[in-house]
Amino acid sequence: MSGIVDAHLHVWRIDAPFHGWPAVTDGALYRSHSLADARAAMGDAPVERVVLVQAQTDDRETDWLLEMADADPWVAGVVGWVALDGPQAPERIAALAANPRLLGLRPMVQAIADSDWLLRDDVARGVAAMVAHGLRFDALVQPRHLGVLATLADRWPDLKIVIDHAAKPAPPGDADWAAGMAALAARPSVWCKLSGLRTEQAAGADPLALGGMVERLVGWFGKRLLWGSDWPVLSVAGDSYGDWLATVRVLTLALSEGERARLMGGAARAFYGI
């Protein structure tokens, strides 16, 4: 396997003034994780580029990630955070978008109690600015948001959306999740990340039990499915970076060489414009 683009990688500094998560109660995750740590975790895996994804709801973290990306060409770009419902969102988005390393934005929708938050008028101002500046929308959602996400996609057909972690269902995913994901996949602007599935499994579950879910995601999204590690959150499931790579390799044996190359790198390049 070569030419991998990791479409979902996190780094953080627990001593940073903007750090909020993970907390001390999150066990082994509660330590700083750097790009050097990520490279060490990858070992000899041929990861050509990585996309750094925000973990904090703080503008200062996005600025820090962009500084890191500017300093290291291995980082293809950043998916940052902006308070999309804030009065200064359009101005902040315009300023950030001046840096070509900003690929997209990710509001922490999963942590917002209002399931319809994405459709609010104040949020629409921020979404409009994203569209105007050609930014991608990383949808950190749960199954309860799938209908809302479909409405968002219909309202903003020029907004490229990727569903993080397949919307975080409890594997193997129930009928409502399957119907919602299939409906979203029918919209050409919506993509999906093959990431985060292991941390939604029950403790000690067999990773190969994800086979049916992965098969459905491949069938629904095809060329619009992109691989990500979700490192270091991946370690919560007890997996190493190489473990998740090996699991995906086994679960996608039916793919052709070209299809595998698309999943493991080409789709991320196409979605994020890398």
Side-chain angles (χ1 to χ4, degrees), residues 15 35 102 126 129 151 154 187 229 261 266 274:
D15 63 335
L35 285 178
L102 185 77
T151 301
D154 292 341
R187 292 162 166 83
S229 70
I274 296 169

Side-chain angles (χ1 to χ4, degrees), residues 168-173 196-210 213 234-239:
K168 306 185 76 170
L197 302 184
R198 284 285 288 133
T199 50
E200 299 303 317
Q201 281 187 295
D206 181 358
L208 298 186
L210 295 170
M213 177 177 281
L234 173 69
S235 63
V236 171
D239 280 10

Side-chain angles (χ1 to χ4, degrees), residues 11-16 19 22 28-34 37 64 231-232:
V11 293
W12 52 68
R13 284 177 38 215
I14 62 171
D15 63 335
H19 183 83
L29 281 183
Y30 186 67
R31 68 171 182 83
S32 296
H33 289 81
S34 67
D37 294 326
W64 174 66
W231 183 91

Side-chain angles (χ1 to χ4, degrees), residues 115-175:
S115 295
D116 294 327
W117 180 85
L118 282 171
L119 305 181
R120 284 174 22 174
D121 290 343
D122 53 355
V123 175
R125 295 174 63 250
V127 174
M130 290 183 65
V131 173
H133 293 284
L135 297 177
R136 283 70 171 167
F137 189 101
D138 262 62
L140 180 61
V141 296
Q142 297 167 328
R144 65 187 170 102
H145 299 107
L146 296 182
V148 170
L149 196 59
T151 301
L152 183 79
D154 292 341
R155 286 185 181 179
W156 303 96
D158 293 330
L159 179 68
K160 292 182 71 173
I161 298 169
V162 63
I163 307 167
D164 286 354
H165 316 322
K168 306 185 76 170
D174 62 20

Side-chain angles (χ1 to χ4, degrees), residues 176-261:
D176 289 341
W177 169 81
M181 291 293 285
L184 282 165
R187 292 162 166 83
S189 63
V190 181
W191 301 50
C192 183
K193 287 187 184 179
L194 182 56
S195 61
L197 302 184
R198 284 285 288 133
T199 50
E200 299 303 317
Q201 281 187 295
D206 181 358
L208 298 186
L210 295 170
M213 177 177 281
V214 171
E215 184 178 0
R216 284 188 287 176
L217 291 170
V218 170
W220 290 329
F221 289 94
K223 292 183 177 180
R224 288 177 286 130
L225 188 67
L226 47 153
W227 180 83
S229 70
D230 196 27
W231 183 91
V233 183
L234 173 69
S235 63
V236 171
D239 280 10
S240 70
Y241 199 98
D243 289 335
W244 178 231
L245 274 176
T247 295
V248 172
R249 185 179 295 113
V250 171
L251 296 183
T252 57
L253 285 175
L255 296 184
S256 69
E257 184 177 341
E259 290 168 335
R260 186 183 301 276

